[in-house]
Amino acid sequence: MTPDIDVTADIDVTADVDVPPTAPGRLPLIGHAVPLIKDRLEFIERLRTYGPIVRMSVGPKKVTVVNSYELIHEMLTSKSGSFSKGLLGEKLKLFGQSALPVAEGEPHLRRRRLLQPAFHREQISGYVNTMRETVEPSITAWGEGELLDLKTVMGLMAQDVALSVLCSFRAEQERARAILDAVDTVFTAAIWRTMVPVSSLERLPTRSNRRLKAARSLLRSEVSDIIAERRADPGAHNDLVTLLLEARDQTGAPLPDNEILSEIIGLLAAGSETTGVMLAWLFHELGRDPELERRLHEEVDSVVGEGPITAEHVPQLAFTRRLVSETLRLHHAGWLVTRQATKPVRLGQVSLPAGEQVLWSPYALHRDPALYPDPLRFDPDRWLPERPQPPRGAFIPFGSGKRMCIGDAFAWTEAIVITAFIASRWRLRPVPGATVEPIGLLTVHPSDPRMVAESRQRAVAGTAA
């Protein structure tokens, strides 16, 4: 067993080594499970101080953690062919075995090419009106002084957008909430099974396993109903469901129903949780800083005016986009991403054997003081073009390389549209005395996401900041 290293010792990152140093604090049998479960965000950031590559243990399993942005970029791009999605990717197959986010190799490439037309930038511009029309009823229904649970409210809006744009489907409130809760249940199970990878526990008839089974069944039932409705009226819509139903594999056969189910469920899950959490953090930061809120309102009033937000407005909302960028940096939803070496591969000065589990953290990467001055400060102006920018590969909110999120442009547009729409009508105020801390579960979400809705008088249109 590799001995624990002295945290005060200098690590020679230029040395040619076969095994990376081991992070301090490892305990017999359980490894680093205690800090990983108790205070995982602090622990995952602390690992950065031990070197560009470090090893930790989860129970008997050893995991290599890559902290260097150069090596993360290399792993995701030029050496991506040497890695699969890893342990978290395997656990996320709870959503579906063949969905694009968890598919590997040639099947992943074929599925990505099939779905790409739905996510072309030109196509996304055409989605803006649907995005706006989808969220408008929810936003206009808020009452003066209403207490909003932003994680839920924003998650439901993001889910509604995904269902409406990609599936031409609108769910009534109770049904939408059930779908969102089911997605959250499956995500939670996936992250716990990644942190505690004991397969025998997954087969026990525990309460959490029963909840997981029910959640998966509900998602399959809901999406099956959407597919059945589409089959009954095949020419009614031009959306992702239609794309999948009309697709043919290399033999000319249609996709099996279970693959269509997996794909829709996977994209629905990916399109709700992370966007909802990001928007909750964005408005939390605005609630803490009246000057940033004022600048947002001025820009929205100046660019959009009294009319509805359209695709032409989106590129003009430069400050709004910087707010989204800074939220994706400081409050990136992903604290844990995994890969697994499929063959022997070298990263920097470390040789990884085939089968090695690898972990990296966008959350920790985006808070690295070597890359971002004053990294814990929420500063959207750090993204002004005249300011020094982080090096290539140091800001990767949607991943990089061939596995970069297919919906990145969709998510940017959606976040800008929803942020601007809310800002045109409301101020969201923090709850007095509430303490908000980051909680790392599947995503990094605020511990107390409640805010109070306060209607605003439209500011006099002025020059956008």
Side-chain angles (χ1 to χ4, degrees), residues 196-319:
V196 186
V198 182
S199 58
S200 59
L201 296 178
E202 300 173 9
R203 296 188 292 270
L204 296 177
T206 62
R207 181 181 178 186
S208 60
N209 285 341
R210 291 195 300 271
R211 288 184 67 237
L212 171 62
K213 183 179 179 180
R216 295 181 69 196
S217 177
L218 183 143
L219 288 175
R220 292 182 66 85
S221 175
E222 292 289 347
V223 174
S224 293
D225 287 347
I226 294 173
I227 294 171
E229 290 175 12
R230 190 57 40 79
R231 287 192 193 279
D233 192 5
H237 302 284
N238 180 23
D239 56 17
L240 185 73
V241 181
T242 302
L243 190 69
L244 290 166
L245 288 173
E246 293 179 351
R248 297 297 180 266
D249 64 18
Q250 57 270 38
T251 70
L255 298 181
D257 279 358
N258 68 311
E259 291 193 21
I260 297 175
L261 271 171
S262 292
E263 208 61 69
I264 297 172
I265 292 171
L267 289 171
L268 174 62
S272 57
E273 173 77 14
T274 53
T275 302
V277 167
M278 187 277 294
L279 288 167
W281 278 118
L282 188 154
F283 282 96
H284 163 73
E285 292 292 350
L286 288 175
R288 299 172 61 199
D289 193 324
E291 175 60 17
L292 293 181
E293 182 185 61
R294 180 193 65 77
R295 291 172 65 187
L296 171 63
H297 290 163
E298 284 188 356
E299 176 174 87
V300 171
D301 292 349
S302 174
V303 171
V304 180
E306 297 290 338
I309 184 171
T310 66
E312 289 71 28
H313 295 134
V314 172
Q316 301 175 53
L317 294 168
F319 181 67

